[in-house]
Amino acid sequence: METELSKRLGIEHAIFGFTPFPAVAAAITRAGGFGVLGAVRYTAPEDLRRDLDWMQEHSDGKPYGLDVVMPAKKVEGVTEADVEAMIPEGHRQFVRDTLAKHGVPELAEGEAAGWRITGWMEEVARTQLDVAFQYPIRLLANALGSPPGDVVRRAHAQDVLVAALAGSARHAERHAEAGIDIVVAQGYEAGGHTGEVASMVLTPEVVDAVDPLPVLAAGGIGSGEQIAAALALGAQGAWLGSLWLTTTEADLHSRALTAKLLAAGSGDTVRSRALTGKPARQLRTEWTDAWDGTDGPGTLPMPLQGLLVAEAVSRIQKHEVVPLLGTPVGQIVGRMTSERAVQSVFDDLTRGFERAVDRINRIAGRSQ
């Protein structure tokens, strides 16, 4: 699975694995791919430094990268308290009523509410970069489009490639104009924030739009055959995220959530604004149904929705309230039927790729 991009980065297989878990990212890198650690949950620089230290020790000297969340344009003078004040009381009451309906216990006194808006603020992302650039990362990816120009220049000055996700050819063209090195064409099937164009259509559109920049295909990819299809469409690799959630190295902190993922079919996800205010594919639950139903108040725009539901999501996860329990995940969840080590997943991906290549060679009359 070698491409020009994989050779440039010094990896054996053109498989890029995005994950919030350092153990998974390191295992992807050790298996011959390229592990990309998601940084949004690191609101304290020392926590990110601790996990990057760990990755340095467990990646066998092979390359890895970091994924941050930062807007291209900065909003000055807006604090978390300012945003908090914008949330209508009716929406707060809806959250309280929904949790009460399902008997969701409170958090313990003084217990933090988990992920909040701070992980999405530019100031936090910049502190993450201050830490990350002290390590030999080879790639910086941004999930909210092109990062600010000074960040791109700083990365290039340290020989770090910059990638950005795109849900349309128009978005991809903007990335190219901003000096991005790699465009991740993220199709409708993907987990988390995603657009409305399916990967089979999106990938070749983006490849044509940004040629000769390398493109990674993302969204609904979970087999070697699909990776072969992505390369046939012009991509120089595949960006996989959801597939790693049920690996043995992942740390979801919830056996109930793992069980729901393993039991889910490809039709058991929904593209909902319930989590952040922007359409994000996730497991369909009674929580998403409540927000998307006609009886609800409607979701708030980002970042209000994420701040509104942060504590509720923490309570649901901590107490494993199964009807409400969910997570961002793509339609590939239907293939995630057992817990396996990252290396085992990689073995299946490479075997599937070989089968696909052999099949095409037979069709083309090139088999030996």
Side-chain angles (χ1 to χ4, degrees), residues 2-363:
E2 281 190 340
T3 65
E4 291 181 14
L5 180 60
S6 69
K7 292 176 183 177
R8 181 178 181 183
L9 288 170
I11 58 177
E12 183 179 1
H13 303 298
I15 297 174
F16 295 73
F18 165 78
T19 174
F21 308 116
V24 176
I28 291 168
T29 286
R30 290 197 306 272
F34 192 96
V36 181
L37 179 65
V40 69
R41 67 191 181 97
Y42 295 101
T43 56
E46 58 270 22
D47 292 337
L48 177 59
R49 183 174 289 107
R50 177 201 63 218
D51 282 355
L52 288 177
D53 282 340
W54 189 93
M55 285 194 64
Q56 273 292 103
E57 296 174 4
H58 294 85
S59 296
D60 292 351
K62 297 179 179 179
Y64 60 89
L66 192 75
D67 180 280
V68 297
V69 176
M70 61 189 312
K73 296 181 180 179
K74 184 176 182 178
V75 179
E76 298 284 357
V78 178
T79 67
E80 185 173 339
D82 294 331
V83 178
E84 182 98 42
M86 300 177 189
I87 299 174
E89 177 57 30
H91 283 71
R92 296 186 186 278
Q93 188 60 50
F94 180 75
V95 170
R96 290 192 289 266
D97 291 344
T98 304
L99 296 178
K101 176 182 176 182
H102 291 272
V104 182
E106 298 276 355
L107 294 175
E109 184 176 354
E111 186 174 359
W115 174 84
R116 290 175 69 81
I117 186 178
T118 49
W120 295 77
M121 298 180 75
E122 181 180 343
E123 290 80 3
V124 174
R126 286 185 179 275
T127 62
Q128 293 168 349
L129 294 178
D130 289 340
V131 172
F133 284 137
Q134 298 173 24
Y135 294 82
I137 63 171
R138 292 296 312 281
L139 175 71
L140 173 66
N142 189 37
L144 281 184
S146 304
D150 68 294
V151 172
V152 176
R153 291 189 294 272
R154 183 180 180 187
H156 288 167
Q158 297 195 206
D159 197 28
V160 175
L161 297 181
V162 181
L165 276 64
S168 71
R170 185 181 72 256
H171 294 158
E173 289 169 348
R174 291 176 185 169
H175 295 336
E177 292 168 359
I180 299 302
D181 304 293
I182 302 167
V183 177
V184 181
Q186 186 178 29
Y188 171 83
E189 310 95 325
H193 295 128
T194 185
E196 299 181 352
V197 184
S199 57
M200 182 64 75
V201 175
L202 180 66
T203 301
E205 285 187 349
V206 171
V207 168
D208 290 343
V210 302
D211 183 63
L213 286 185
V215 173
L216 301 178
I221 299 176
S223 72
E225 288 85 353
Q226 290 171 304
I227 295 174
L231 299 189
L233 293 173
Q236 288 201 31
W239 178 277
L240 284 66
S242 298
L243 192 65
W244 317 110
L245 289 173
T246 53
T247 56
T248 54
E249 291 91 343
D251 187 11
L252 288 177
H253 299 294
S254 172
R255 294 305 304 169
L257 180 55
T258 298
K260 289 190 74 170
L261 288 169
L262 294 174
S266 57
D268 291 328
T269 68
V270 63
R271 196 163 159 268
S272 172
R273 297 177 184 268
L275 188 60
T276 68
K278 280 192 173 185
R281 187 169 297 285
Q282 55 202 279
L283 279 180
R284 181 177 181 178
T285 67
E286 292 189 29
W287 178 255
T288 61
D289 286 348
W291 280 103
D292 298 337
T294 56
D295 295 335
T299 56
L300 298 170
M302 181 186 275
L304 301 181
Q305 183 71 16
L307 185 57
L308 169 65
V309 304
E311 180 178 338
V313 171
S314 293
R315 289 167 59 183
I316 292 166
Q317 291 175 343
K318 176 181 178 179
H319 299 291
E320 297 192 320
V321 184
V322 174
L324 305 179
L325 189 61
T327 186
V329 68
Q331 291 180 330
I332 199 62
V333 69
R335 294 184 65 97
M336 296 155 51
T337 57
S338 63
E339 293 183 79
R340 297 182 296 161
V342 166
Q343 183 63 62
S344 176
V345 173
F346 247 84
D347 291 342
D348 277 354
L349 293 174
T350 54
R351 283 193 293 263
F353 181 84
E354 291 169 355
R355 286 194 300 268
V357 172
D358 288 344
R359 186 181 302 122
I360 295 301
N361 281 335
R362 287 197 302 272
I363 293 171

